[in-house]
Amino acid sequence: MKLSRTRLALLIGAAGVLLLVAVIVSPMLLISLPSFLSEGGTSPDCNDKTQVEEVSDSAASDIPAEYLEFYKKYGKKIGVQWNILAAVGKRETDHGRSNLPGVKSGTNYAGAAGPMQFLISTWGGKARVAMSSKFTGYASDGDGDGVGDIYNPADAILGAARMLKRNGAPENVRQALFVYNRAWWYVDQVEAIARKYAKSGDVKVPPQASEECDDSLVEAAPSDIVAKILEYALAQRGKPYLWGGTGPDAFDCSGVIFAAYREAGLTIPRTTFGQWPFGVKVLEGQEQPGDLVFFNAGPGTSADNPGHVGLVVSKGKMLEARCRLCGPIKVTSYQARDNRIGFTRPLQNPDVLEQLKKLQNPTL
């Protein structure tokens, strides 16, 4: 299969952006953020953007062995730089060694707690959250005891890694840290620590997935029509988000999907609100490339009225145009978000089936 347009577009593609955790001096904004479930699922090796960075002598001597293991383990698992996680842990609580209020029990003056200094409100509303319960926050169970404990380093570091990933890491670390604390001096301090912790003395930014990666995704498509949809959609990576955008220079979440289907000769509704009832519902686990995945996100939305949509490109992965501050269009994990409400298959809509017949036999 020739993918010259994909390869050409990838040459001008760019990476994504953003964000991070809570802090003592100026903690995270008091907003309720989505929780994260298990990363789960499998993906091709070419989609793994995590780079392994060797540990410097400074890191080995400064970071407690248990904490170092967690930083590396969850950085790799979630897909963020371990040394950025470690630098946040150092700056916040000296890897849990600080005796300031809120580190080992209670909260500090701003309501932050634990070694990574989450606000109780962003963790799940309380310091210890049963993972079997419904909650809105970043409570995580790193040690597998069924409880997300804000004071437990395994839980807290896993939660921090998920928060980083949720907000666009690992591509734009400085922007991520700025959103974390809204202070450039803080960004400079954390980044300086991260550089000392890396043997290379750098904060590595993972490269874009190769064009061979896109080749494999397109070639694995369940049909030629899905291959055309994926080829166009993947070529839009690196372009900016624009509310109401349908290309060619910028898109919003439903706009890039609308344009990808249009490129394949198919017409589907333009907006997320129209796309949700349009496709045939697909059970989770049975979704396939070309399907749409919907989220309860955005003002005025609900479980029956989703406000965000992504295009499934492989198991657990979607292409999405998320928001203006979330960085350019990119491939992300949909399994990492618990506000996911369902999948649909537009190709099974009766109108689309008729369009497909006409594409296959223009004389009809």
Side-chain angles (χ1 to χ4, degrees), residues 187-217:
V187 174
D188 292 339
Q189 287 181 8
V190 172
E191 192 174 45
I193 296 169
R195 292 182 186 280
K196 290 180 180 178
Y197 282 167
K199 194 167 186 178
S200 67
D202 198 4
V203 178
K204 289 188 176 180
V205 177
Q208 284 288 291
S210 68
E211 61 187 74
E212 289 78 13
C213 231
D214 286 351
D215 286 357
S216 66
L217 290 175

Side-chain angles (χ1 to χ4, degrees), residues 1 3 44 46-47 211-228 230-231 234 287-290 312-315:
M1 181 181 296
L3 300 174
C46 58
N47 281 333
E211 61 187 74
E212 289 78 13
C213 231
D214 286 351
D215 286 357
S216 66
L217 290 175
V218 176
E219 290 171 1
S223 68
D224 288 343
I225 200 75
V226 173
K228 291 179 181 178
L230 296 187
E231 181 179 357
L234 290 166
E287 71 276 9
Q288 62 186 28
V312 177
V313 298
S314 68
K315 201 66 169 180

